[in-house]
């Protein structure tokens, strides 16, 4: 169906669109008003219970990790320990208030957007979906947010602390406070906040009308021309909602600028301390105004440059110019060279879609590994425990990422080719999101390094063993010892070992991202069910599986294929269902005893939610 042509046709469609949009908006607002208190209550109670319940453990373990860190000097350790109570207070305020506000916003806006999305193309029975969409899905989404927040506060936090506690110190990663620079840095930070807060706030206020009207102009242009976010569907009631809510986006941008001005100004203390010069801190205070002005001009597509001076505030300017607090690490600034100079159209890919694509690959390779005997019951039991399995927790995702890199190299892709064989993420078409800087650029760098190494098939096989079995030294040694491939030189082994360590490190960083733990739990349950099916199949057949060596399995061509030998039936009943019923009885008994001992209702409810989610094999997401 083509967009209407002509002024009269467009005007008539617009007149018909107004009551249609008004009805959907009123219905969405009504659902938002009804579900907003419930969602706010769920997220506020759930997240607050997690924060308060883990607060003693967080405080004690943070103090222990700081005191045990080898990268920190004694004076810096003392300073951080003295600032720990202030950090705990800020964490309580930010997390609890943020949960309340986030729950209110999510509970109100999610039903509204779901109502407008219900009448999009490809929707069957839109009248029913207008009333139903955004109700139960919003409730489930709130529970998913609570579960993800629990994973971040528990698994991601302890992962960060373990790295801090166990990392070795060297000349490049040893941090200590220079006491003589502290007074100048504090004064520079205070002056930076005093100057930047009012000036940047005024700049944001002066530019907000331009942002408002230019945004409206662009949205109306996209709506009429069926471009931008309104390209794919002829029925675009969501367009009116976006246009109506655009002033809220402008207000949010202004408030974000006001809040960020505090941190941007306080960074003057960091500059003064790093450069051991109070003068350079004052220069940064002036230059930060120019940095923000130029950055806001780029975002709003205004003329380049700034009316504020930009004095030099570093002794040695970094390559490509210094941008102060808005600068990224040097490893992210210089991305690998890519063919072409024009940036193509951006792909519609959300940051968390990459994690979902990664776990799709993990399930594919995991099914093959379970079938072939590479992943055994011991690995799965360790993955279910608090100890964790190195093979499944880090080896399997790292192996999937390695195969994605090798697939991209063999297909002559300039970026990363996802598992569907069609979607390609490059530096030119990637979405403008900081997540893709953190996630994409490191993998593009190691991809270019692997491509430059020109690995043979045997070397790729050896690298796959290193990546997958890196956490199990005994199995890795036996696999390499039994390998039938030609021996490698010590230099080549060291190069492949460095690739494996870097992939393991990148995978460990990815494992701390939001929703990773939830996807990982689902992956472990899927592999456990596959292993149960395999054992039941051999028990019914009256025979036992033949044990094969890992080296032979790695050398088989079928292992390198992406097809699954088990199909897509992910929801077979586990043979341990009777044990789960016993576990549920145990949970209910624990809840009764805990309640009688005077525990809070919120902690009991949180325990029931997490326990039933785990033992029933279901996720609230």
């Amino acid at each position: 169906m083509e967009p209407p042509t002509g002024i009269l046709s467009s005007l008539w469609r617009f007149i018909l669109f107004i009551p249609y949009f008004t009805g959907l908006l009123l219905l969405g607002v009504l659902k938002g008003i009804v579900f907003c208190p419930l969602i706010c209550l769920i997220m506020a109670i759930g997240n607050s219970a997690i924060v308060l319940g883990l607060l003693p453990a967080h405080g004690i373990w943070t103090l222990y990790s700081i005191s045990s860190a080898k990268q920190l000097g004694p004076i810096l350790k003392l300073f951080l320990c003295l600032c720990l109570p202030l950090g705990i207070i800020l964490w309580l305020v930010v997390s609890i208030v943020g949960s309340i506000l986030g729950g209110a916003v999510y509970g109100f806006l999610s039903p509204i957007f779901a109502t407008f999305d219900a009448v999009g193309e490809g929707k069957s029975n839109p009248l029913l979906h207008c009333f139903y969409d955004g109700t139960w899905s919003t409730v489930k989404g709130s529970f998913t947010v609570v579960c993800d927040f629990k994973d971040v506060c528990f698994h991601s936090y302890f992962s960060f602390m373990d790295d801090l506690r166990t990392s070795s110190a060297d000349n490049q990663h040893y941090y200590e406070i220079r006491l003589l620079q502290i007074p100048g840095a504090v004064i520079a930070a205070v002056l930076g906040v005093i100057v930047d807060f009012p000036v940047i706030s005024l700049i944001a206020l002066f530019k907000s009308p331009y942002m408002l009207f230019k945004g409206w102009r662009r949205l109306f242009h996209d709506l009429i021309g069926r471009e931008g976010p309104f390209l794919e569907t002829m029925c675009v009631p969501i367009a009116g909602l976006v246009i109506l809510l655009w002033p809220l986006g402008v207000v949010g941008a202004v408030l974000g600028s006001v809040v960020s001005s505090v941190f941007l100004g306080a960074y003057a203390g960091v500059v003064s301390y790093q450069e051991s010069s109070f003068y350079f801190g004052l220069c940064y205070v002036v230059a930060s105004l120019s940095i923000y002005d130029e950055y806001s001009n780029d975002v709003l597509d205004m003329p380049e440059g700034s009316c504020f001076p930009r004095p030099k505030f570093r002794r040695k300017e970094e390559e490509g110019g210094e941008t102060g607090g808005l600068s990224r690490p040097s490893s992210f600034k210089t991305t690998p060279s890519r063919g072409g100079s024009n940036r193509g159209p951006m792909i519609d890919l959300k940051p968390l879609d990459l994690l979902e694509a990664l776990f799709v690959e993990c399930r594919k390779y995991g099914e093959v590994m379970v079938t072939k005997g590479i992943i055994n019951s011991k690995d799965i039991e360790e993955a279910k425990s608090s100890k964790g399995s190195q093979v499944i927790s880090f080896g399997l995702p790292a192996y999937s990422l390695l195969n994605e890199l090798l697939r991209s190299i063999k297909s002559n892709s300039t970026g990363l080719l996802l598992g569907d064989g069609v979607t390609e993420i490059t530096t030119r078409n990637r979405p403008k999101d900081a997540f893709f800087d953190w996630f994409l650029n490191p993998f593009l760098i190691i991809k270019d390094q692997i491509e430059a190494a020109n690995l043979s098939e045997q070397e790729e096989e050896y690298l796959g063993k290193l990546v997958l079995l890196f956490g199990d030294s005994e199995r890795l040694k036996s696999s390499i010892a039994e390998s039938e491939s030609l021996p490698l030189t010590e230099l080549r082994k060291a190069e492949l070992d460095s690739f494996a360590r870097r992939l393991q490190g990148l995978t460990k960083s990815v494992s701390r991202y939001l929703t990773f733990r939830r996807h990982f739990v689902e992956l472990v349950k899927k592999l456990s069910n596959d292993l149960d099916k395999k054992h039941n199949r051999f028990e019914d057949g009256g025979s036992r599986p033949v044990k094969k060596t890992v080296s032979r399995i790695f050398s088989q061509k079928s292992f390198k294929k992406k097809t699954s030998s088990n199909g897509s039936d992910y929801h077979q009943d586990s043979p341990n269902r009777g044990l789960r019923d016993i576990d549920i009885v145990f949970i209910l008994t624990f809840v009764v005893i805990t309640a009688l001992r005077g525990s809070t209702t919120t902690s009991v409810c949180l325990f029931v939610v997490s326990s039933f989610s785990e033992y029933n094999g279901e996720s609230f997401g």
Side-chain angles (χ1 to χ4, degrees), residues 93 133 209 256 289 291 323 325 340 350 357-359 411-412 462 464 517:
V93 173
D133 288 3
L289 302 177
I291 292 172
T323 57
K350 297 180 178 63
L358 170 62
F359 277 96
S411 61
N412 296 324
Y462 179 83
R517 182 68 186 177

Side-chain angles (χ1 to χ4, degrees), residues 30 38 149 155 157 181 224 252 342 418 477 493 548:
L30 180 61
L38 176 62
F149 183 74
H155 299 282
Y157 164 79
Q181 303 298 328
I224 297 173
N342 295 327
L418 299 186
K477 291 180 180 179
K493 286 184 179 180
K548 299 181 179 181

Side-chain angles (χ1 to χ4, degrees), residues 54-66 84 88 91 148-165 511-513:
L54 292 176
L55 185 62
H58 282 175
I60 296 173
W61 195 252
T62 301
L63 186 64
Y64 171 72
S65 299
I66 292 175
L84 184 60
I88 292 176
W91 165 243
D148 289 341
F149 183 74
K150 178 197 69 175
D151 293 336
V152 171
C153 292
F154 189 80
H155 299 282
S156 300
Y157 164 79
F158 285 106
S159 178
F160 276 116
M161 291 295 106
D162 290 342
D163 282 353
L164 176 64
R165 184 170 47 88
S511 67
R512 297 165 181 163
Y513 290 166

Side-chain angles (χ1 to χ4, degrees), residues 374-387:
I374 300 177
I375 294 179
N376 50 39
S377 57
K378 180 182 177 181
D379 296 327
I380 296 178
E381 292 300 324
E382 289 180 352
K384 291 181 179 179
S385 65
S386 59
K387 176 183 177 181

Side-chain angles (χ1 to χ4, degrees), residues 75-141:
I75 301 178
L76 180 58
K77 290 181 180 179
L78 178 62
F79 176 77
L80 293 177
C81 291
L82 293 177
C83 294
L84 184 60
L86 178 61
I88 292 176
I89 295 174
L90 291 177
W91 165 243
L92 287 174
V93 173
V94 171
S95 59
I96 295 177
V97 175
S99 299
I100 296 174
L101 296 179
V105 173
Y106 176 71
F108 182 74
L109 293 182
S110 180
I112 296 177
F113 282 101
T115 302
F116 281 91
D117 187 61
V119 296
E121 284 186 353
K123 296 286 186 178
S124 60
N125 199 353
L127 181 60
L128 174 63
H129 285 285
C130 284
F131 288 91
Y132 177 76
D133 288 3
T135 55
W136 179 240
S137 61
T138 305
V139 175
K140 292 195 298 183

Side-chain angles (χ1 to χ4, degrees), residues 158-177:
F158 285 106
S159 178
F160 276 116
M161 291 295 106
D162 290 342
D163 282 353
L164 176 64
R165 184 170 47 88
T166 59
S167 297
S168 59
D170 51 31
N171 294 331
Q172 296 180 351
H173 299 89
Y174 183 78
Y175 306 98
E176 182 57 288
I177 290 181

